[in-house]
């Protein structure tokens, strides 16, 4: 009888322990109550600002290219042309600091050969060596851009591309674009506040949108060889975007 009672009491103890553990598990699973906090109400907008202006600096890639059966022949022709081009640029008043080599290439052009590829190129396969040398030239007297290009072509330049324009005082125009972007942001926020029938409050945060500004949007114009006088600078635009958060009163 004592053994039976001991067994019964043991089973009851295990059952009570299981109930207690289950109760504890259920209680711990319940999320704690969050303390009461006043949420900040706000309106976030992105303002855009653009400034149109006339460029005062031109940049152009100009140079020479030649092909021949040997590297030395092609290189000799290019070197001769480049020497004349540099002399012409100097005569046009282009400073040494405004002339920079942008590309220099030597490669072999072989005519298509069917069958096993040859291990070493030779003039027997009909191919030619091509040598090119390109200069990035900055022209600070933009009204003379056409004259500079014409002078380079007359001196022997037979390659030119990438005529582009920019401004010398970029910081000033960046600031003006930001001012316009802030004004645009406030106007957008006030319109939204009116539609929502709320009152716009103070600025909570301001950030320039990453990857959107300030950016100079350049207009690239290709000029025909010998027709540098036809280069037209047109206009540039500085653009930026600013994200602003305004409190709602």
């Amino acid at each position: 009888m004592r053994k039976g009672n001991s067994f019964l009491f043991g089973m009851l103890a295990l059952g009570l322990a299981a109930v207690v553990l289950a109760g504890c598990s259920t209680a711990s699973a319940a999320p704690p109550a969050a303390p009461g906090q006043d949420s900040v109400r706000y309106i976030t907008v992105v303002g855009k600002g653009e400034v149109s202006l006339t460029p005062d600096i031109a940049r152009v890639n100009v140079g020479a290219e030649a092909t021949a059966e040997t590297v030395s022949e092609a290189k000799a022709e290019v070197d001769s042309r480049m020497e004349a081009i540099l002399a012409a640029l100097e005569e046009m008043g282009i400073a040494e600091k405004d002339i920079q080599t942008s590309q220099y290439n030597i490669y072999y052009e072989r005519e298509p050969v069917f069958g096993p590829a040859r291990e070493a190129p030779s003039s027997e396969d009909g191919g030619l060596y091509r040598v090119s040398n390109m200069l990035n030239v900055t022209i600070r007297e933009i009204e003379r851009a056409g004259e500079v290009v014409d002078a380079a072509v007359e001196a022997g330049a037979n390659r030119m591309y990438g005529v582009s324009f920019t401004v010398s005082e970029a910081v000033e125009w960046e600031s003006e674009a930001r001012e316009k972007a802030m004004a645009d942001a406030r106007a957008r926020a006030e319109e939204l506040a009116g539609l929502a029938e709320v009152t716009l409050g103070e600025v909570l945060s301001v950030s320039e949108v990453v990857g959107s500004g300030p950016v100079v949007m350049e207009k690239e114009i290709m000029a025909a060889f010998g027709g540098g006088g036809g280069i037209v600078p047109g206009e540039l635009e500085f653009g930026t975007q600013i994200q602003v958060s305004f409190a709602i009163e």
Side-chain angles (χ1 to χ4, degrees):
M1 186 68 178
R2 290 181 179 177
K3 292 183 178 178
N5 290 338
S6 298
F7 176 77
L8 180 60
F9 288 146
M11 292 298 293
L12 289 173
L14 289 173
L16 289 172
V19 171
V20 171
L21 289 174
C24 291
S25 176
T26 303
S28 63
Q37 293 182 349
D38 295 332
S39 59
V40 178
R41 300 190 304 162
Y42 58 90
I43 294 176
T44 300
V45 294
V46 175
K48 300 179 181 179
E50 293 182 352
V51 179
S52 297
L53 56 139
T54 302
D56 59 1
I57 292 178
R59 292 191 176 95
V60 60
N61 283 283
V62 61
E65 182 178 86
T67 57
E69 291 186 354
T70 65
V71 175
S72 58
E73 290 175 333
K75 185 177 181 299
E77 181 178 344
V78 168
D79 289 348
S80 176
R81 287 176 178 269
M82 292 304 295
E83 185 178 350
I85 292 169
L86 288 169
L89 293 175
E90 182 180 357
E91 187 176 344
M92 292 298 296
I94 305 299
E96 185 177 347
K97 68 176 182 178
D98 291 330
I99 302 174
Q100 183 181 45
T101 299
S102 58
Q103 292 182 24
Y104 192 98
N105 299 313
I106 299 177
Y107 57 95
Y108 183 75
E109 293 181 338
R110 180 187 299 176
E111 291 186 357
V113 177
F114 298 96
R118 303 183 182 182
E119 294 183 358
S122 69
S123 60
E124 296 178 359
D125 61 17
L128 295 172
Y129 288 94
R130 184 180 297 273
V131 177
S132 63
N133 190 348
M134 298 298 298
L135 301 174
N136 190 332
V137 181
T138 299
I139 306 169
R140 300 188 184 277
E141 296 178 277
I142 197 170
E143 65 279 359
R144 301 188 64 197
E147 298 176 22
V148 173
V149 170
D150 284 340
V153 172
E154 290 174 5
N158 58 8
R159 286 196 65 193
M160 187 190 71
Y161 64 87
V163 178
S164 62
F165 306 95
T166 187
V167 292
S168 54
E169 298 296 333
V171 175
E172 175 185 348
W173 303 111
E174 289 173 4
S175 298
E176 185 174 342
R178 290 190 183 102
E179 289 179 10
K180 290 189 174 184
M182 279 296 297
D184 181 54
R186 181 170 291 279
R188 290 171 184 265
E190 288 176 349
E191 181 179 356
L192 290 174
L195 293 173
E197 298 182 350
V198 296
T199 302
L200 202 66
E202 64 179 356
V203 174
L204 298 178
S205 67
V206 180
S207 62
E208 201 160 39
V209 178
V210 176
S212 69
V215 176
V216 183
M217 290 163 278
E218 298 179 344
K219 298 178 181 179
E220 294 190 355
I221 302 174
M222 296 300 295
F225 292 130
I231 294 178
V232 181
E235 286 189 345
L236 296 178
E237 287 186 348
F238 272 102
T240 190
Q241 295 183 16
I242 295 179
Q243 180 174 298
V244 187
S245 293
F246 295 87
I248 296 176
E249 294 183 348

